[in-house]
Amino acid sequence: MALLKIARLGHPVLRQVSSPVTDPSDSETRRLVGDMIETMRDANGAGLAAPQVYALKRIIVFHAPADPHDPDERSSAPFTVLINPEFEPVSEQKDVGWEGCLSIPGLRGQVKRWSHIRYRGIGLGGRTVEREATGFHARVVQHEIDHLDGILYPDRMSTMASLCFDTELDHFLADEDDSQDE
Ligand code: NI
């Protein structure tokens, strides 16, 4: 496996629409997924989408650590690979939360997302993964799927007033845990 270079804001690859994977089990896809997981872990990210490593394929990897402040078990998820992922909201509710992105290092912003979603995709073994997600888990999945359509989190911010450097986050919320980049 190898660490891959992560595209940064401004590179056109981040603005393109990725193509579905036709054979999720081929060796090229498995190698790419392995490299994406290694790259995400190395960068201490919560998620990574294939276009962030210059591969215009509909593949995301992510995890959502358990949050002691959020008892809903659907808000956390183990390391997960999703090929050709899709989702739909389960309720009308949306929440505002902080996001970062490995392609926009050093910055954070508040983004409104669906609070409760159902998603599905093909896992590494070829089986369909289907889950409900809430909280940070729902947020990271929506963030990563946006990458597959060339959408970055600042596009989803209703105002730029919360856009800030990591180091200034304390000015907004004194006791909120720092979030991970997606
Ligand atoms: Ni991102």
Side-chain angles (χ1 to χ4, degrees), residues 1 8 13 45 60 75 97 152:
M1 290 201 285
R8 287 157 59 107
V13 75
I60 64 174
S75 70
L152 301 171

mmCIF file of all heavy atoms in Angstrom, residues 1 8 13 45 60 75 97 152:
data_model
loop_
_atom_site.group_PDB
_atom_site.id
_atom_site.type_symbol
_atom_site.label_atom_id
_atom_site.label_comp_id
_atom_site.label_asym_id
_atom_site.label_seq_id
_atom_site.Cartn_x
_atom_site.Cartn_y
_atom_site.Cartn_z
ATOM 1 N N MET A 1 0.838 -1.198 0.000
ATOM 2 C CA MET A 1 0.000 0.000 0.000
ATOM 3 C C MET A 1 0.873 1.248 0.000
ATOM 4 O O MET A 1 2.039 1.196 0.339
ATOM 5 C CB MET A 1 -0.935 -0.007 1.215
ATOM 6 C CG MET A 1 -2.014 -1.080 1.105
ATOM 7 S SD MET A 1 -3.439 -0.759 2.131
ATOM 8 C CE MET A 1 -2.776 -1.172 3.724
ATOM 9 N N ARG A 8 -5.636 19.624 -3.154
ATOM 10 C CA ARG A 8 -6.045 20.756 -2.318
ATOM 11 C C ARG A 8 -6.959 21.691 -3.102
ATOM 12 O O ARG A 8 -6.922 21.735 -4.334
ATOM 13 C CB ARG A 8 -4.806 21.495 -1.812
ATOM 14 C CG ARG A 8 -4.066 20.713 -0.725
ATOM 15 C CD ARG A 8 -2.612 21.120 -0.603
ATOM 16 N NE ARG A 8 -2.430 22.511 -0.293
ATOM 17 C CZ ARG A 8 -2.029 22.970 0.918
ATOM 18 N NH1 ARG A 8 -1.783 22.135 1.894
ATOM 19 N NH2 ARG A 8 -1.862 24.246 1.108
ATOM 20 N N VAL A 13 -9.569 18.773 -10.106
ATOM 21 C CA VAL A 13 -10.072 17.400 -9.895
ATOM 22 C C VAL A 13 -11.155 17.370 -8.817
ATOM 23 O O VAL A 13 -12.056 16.520 -8.840
ATOM 24 C CB VAL A 13 -8.905 16.436 -9.543
ATOM 25 C CG1 VAL A 13 -8.411 16.639 -8.108
ATOM 26 C CG2 VAL A 13 -9.316 14.986 -9.780
ATOM 27 N N GLY A 45 -7.669 11.745 9.236
ATOM 28 C CA GLY A 45 -8.963 12.210 8.750
ATOM 29 C C GLY A 45 -10.087 11.274 9.155
ATOM 30 O O GLY A 45 -9.859 10.104 9.471
ATOM 31 N N ILE A 60 -15.778 6.053 -1.379
ATOM 32 C CA ILE A 60 -15.450 6.819 -0.177
ATOM 33 C C ILE A 60 -15.017 5.858 0.923
ATOM 34 O O ILE A 60 -15.417 4.689 0.943
ATOM 35 C CB ILE A 60 -16.643 7.681 0.331
ATOM 36 C CG1 ILE A 60 -17.832 6.816 0.767
ATOM 37 C CG2 ILE A 60 -17.085 8.666 -0.748
ATOM 38 C CD1 ILE A 60 -18.982 7.612 1.414
ATOM 39 N N SER A 75 -24.882 7.098 15.462
ATOM 40 C CA SER A 75 -24.016 8.261 15.207
ATOM 41 C C SER A 75 -22.552 7.880 15.042
ATOM 42 O O SER A 75 -21.723 8.727 14.711
ATOM 43 C CB SER A 75 -24.167 9.296 16.323
ATOM 44 O OG SER A 75 -23.600 8.811 17.523
ATOM 45 N N GLY A 97 -23.330 21.820 11.995
ATOM 46 C CA GLY A 97 -22.165 21.305 12.705
ATOM 47 C C GLY A 97 -20.882 21.737 12.014
ATOM 48 O O GLY A 97 -20.900 22.167 10.863
ATOM 49 N N LEU A 152 -17.808 20.877 -2.373
ATOM 50 C CA LEU A 152 -16.978 21.004 -1.167
ATOM 51 C C LEU A 152 -17.785 21.712 -0.081
ATOM 52 O O LEU A 152 -18.708 22.473 -0.373
ATOM 53 C CB LEU A 152 -15.713 21.791 -1.485
ATOM 54 C CG LEU A 152 -14.846 21.160 -2.586
ATOM 55 C CD1 LEU A 152 -13.724 22.101 -3.001
ATOM 56 C CD2 LEU A 152 -14.283 19.818 -2.133
#
